[in-house]
Each structure stands twice: as structure tokens, then as C-alpha cells.
Amino acid sequence: VQRGCCTRLQSAARRQLAVRAARRERAARAIQALRRGAAARQQVAVWHAAATRIEAQWRSARCQALLARSVAAAVAMQAAGRRANAARQAHLRLVSIVLIQSSARRLAACADARRQRAARCMQAVSRGSAARRILALQA
């Protein structure tokens, strides 16, 4: 009877040891799962940080490209303004040259008209004196 009692005690102890071992195994698995989860979360955090950095660099590159485009547009606008100003000044110079030329032509025409009038007057005078001489000769 004593031997059976010890056997029962031993089997209970063995069962208890098996239950504890199973619990330890489950706890170890849970700890490993937690560690794997933490590692996975850490890996996800690293990926997220890398993606954020890549996105920031991409935005920065886009901003730099936009800035370069806007600088180029501003330079082009400045050049167009300078060209327009130069064209306006050239037009004003051309207008003043045309005005000077037309004034010179008018003055030349006036002088020419004066010369022609003077020549006609001289012709009339010479004709008049010639006519007087003829009349004087006839009389």
C-alpha cells in the first residue's frame, strides 16, 4: 500500500512537473512572440523613419526644382523686361530721328521754295527790264 501511495505521489509530482514545464514552455513562447513583435515593431519603425526621410528628401528635391524653376522664370521675366525697355528706347530714338529728318526736309523745302521764289522774282525783274529796254528802243 505504501508503495502505491508513493507511486501516486510520484505521478502527481511528475504531472505537476509536466504542467510547470508546459507553463514554462508557453511562457517562453509568449516571451519569444513578444520579442518577435517588439522586433517587428522596431523594424516597422525603422522602415517608417526611412520612408519619412525619403519622402522629406523627395519633397526637398521637388521644392528645389520648383525654386530653380521660379528663379529661371524670374530671370526670363527680367530679360524680357530689359528687352522691352531696350526696344522702347530704340523706338523713341527712331521716332526722334524721323522727326529730325522730317524737320530737316521741311526746312530744305522752305529754303528751296525761297530760292525758287527768288529765282522767279529775278526772272520777272530781268524780263521787266528787258521789256523796258525793248520799249525804250521802240520809242
Side-chain angles (χ1 to χ4, degrees):
V1 177
Q2 201 174 8
R3 187 175 168 199
C5 182
C6 283
T7 306
R8 273 189 227 136
L9 282 176
Q10 284 175 350
S11 64
R14 278 189 197 125
R15 259 184 299 186
Q16 203 171 15
L17 283 174
V19 167
R20 284 182 187 160
R23 283 183 187 155
R24 271 196 308 271
E25 179 117 5
R26 271 183 275 163
R29 279 194 204 127
I31 289 170
Q32 283 176 347
L34 284 173
R35 283 183 185 157
R36 275 197 303 270
R41 281 193 300 275
Q42 188 176 10
Q43 188 64 41
V44 167
V46 167
W47 288 341
H48 180 68
T52 304
R53 228 175 290 123
I54 289 168
E55 188 179 1
Q57 287 172 352
W58 180 72
R59 280 195 188 131
S60 171
R62 256 184 48 202
C63 288
Q64 286 174 356
L66 287 173
L67 178 65
R69 260 194 243 145
S70 63
V71 166
V75 168
M77 286 170 56
Q78 286 175 343
R82 283 193 209 104
R83 280 194 304 271
N85 200 16
R88 187 178 56 79
Q89 288 175 354
H91 177 70
L92 289 175
R93 270 189 240 115
L94 182 68
V95 166
S96 66
I97 288 169
V98 167
L99 287 174
I100 290 169
Q101 285 176 343
S102 66
S103 299
R105 279 193 209 104
R106 274 196 306 271
L107 287 173
C110 287
D112 192 36
R114 265 188 249 123
R115 259 187 253 111
Q116 285 177 358
R117 269 187 255 125
R120 277 193 226 113
C121 188
M122 290 299 293
Q123 285 172 354
V125 166
S126 68
R127 279 191 210 116
S129 62
R132 270 189 236 115
R133 265 187 259 136
I134 293 171
L135 286 174
L137 286 174
Q138 286 177 357

